[in-house]
Amino acid sequence: MIGTKQPWDDVISLDERETYALAGLGGAAGFGKRPALLVIDVQYRSVGNRPMPIREAIKQYPTSCGEAGWHAIAYIAELVRLFREKKWPVIFPHVARKVGQDQGAFSAKIPGIMRIPSEGYEFVREVAPEPGELLLPKTQASAFFGTPLATYLIGAGVDSLVVTGCTTSGCVRASVVDACALNFKSIVPSDAVYDRSPTSHAVNLFDIASKYADVMPTQAAIERLHALSDDQTEDQRT
């Protein structure tokens, strides 16, 4: 993780990064042969209905990440197009609409999550699901917790994930940690995930890259996916 410019380089000191490298953290985990794309929580509640500074965006939805989310959506859309073109699974774990029974430890920390109007739960049009794509409503951070995601992935023969969406420090991180625990290899495109805090975004990408997944820009992820597709085509010919 030292050498190429990374999103966390201006946040995590060189000394700390060198310590991690000396400990052997941050090696490449590699990727599998049958990928799926997770588009996590890309709903208007997480970006607002248009690009705007975050302090303006949270007046509309307190859960909004503002312009950071809209910046990431363009990269998420590139990945969605590629996966659809290759006929690989595109899966939409998303925040389920909150009802009274959802009051709990998380809402005690963040009361605003219980006050999102219904339109906030709609998928952002630029990356909205198409008919037949899997929708997974969830009530907790991880896309795996309380959902049939793992069962679906195993049944579809999926062995690896590209994880996009939000927030980097919350639902993305929780999903990647669970994916690693279940032995799914993951790529996290650093510009296709987003957070309300640039510092938290950078620190969590560093920690994910150190322990749980390979982190790279979307363009590098696309190149890897194209190479995987080319290998699959060659395998079919031989």
Side-chain angles (χ1 to χ4, degrees), residues 10 12 38 44 52 66 78 89 92 128 152 154 164 168 170 173 193 200 210-211 219:
D10 296 329
I12 308 295
L38 299 188
Y44 287 108
M52 64 184 96
E78 288 188 56
F92 292 83
Y152 173 82
I154 293 167
T164 67
T168 314
R173 179 192 169 92
V193 295
S200 186
S210 297
K211 304 171 187 174
Q219 189 54 49

Side-chain angles (χ1 to χ4, degrees), residues 162-177:
V162 177
V163 183
T164 67
C166 74
T167 59
T168 314
S169 61
C171 299
V172 168
R173 179 192 169 92
S175 300
V176 170
V177 171

Side-chain angles (χ1 to χ4, degrees), residues 100-115:
Q101 293 90 336
D102 292 319
Q103 293 279 1
F106 192 56
S107 64
K109 291 289 292 182
I110 314 172
I113 65 171
M114 300 298 298
R115 300 194 297 268

Side-chain angles (χ1 to χ4, degrees), residues 36-37 79-90 225:
L37 176 66
L79 289 160
V80 168
R81 284 193 294 270
L82 174 61
F83 271 74
R84 287 173 177 163
E85 175 189 316
K86 301 297 183 184
K87 301 190 185 307
W88 292 332
V90 181
L225 291 162

Side-chain angles (χ1 to χ4, degrees), residues 111-195:
I113 65 171
M114 300 298 298
R115 300 194 297 268
I116 304 299
S118 59
E119 62 269 18
Y121 290 97
E122 295 176 6
F123 295 101
V124 174
R125 181 179 60 82
E126 287 80 353
V127 292
E130 290 188 345
E133 292 176 336
L134 183 63
L135 310 184
L136 287 176
K138 61 187 182 67
T139 58
Q140 301 297 327
S142 172
F144 289 92
F145 186 91
T147 79
L149 177 57
T151 300
Y152 173 82
L153 296 175
I154 293 167
V158 169
D159 60 6
S160 46
L161 301 172
V162 177
V163 183
T164 67
C166 74
T167 59
T168 314
S169 61
C171 299
V172 168
R173 179 192 169 92
S175 300
V176 170
V177 171
D178 280 355
C180 182
L182 292 165
N183 279 329
F184 293 102
K185 294 182 177 181
S186 298
I187 289 175
V188 178
S190 56
D191 43 13
V193 295
Y194 56 98
D195 204 292

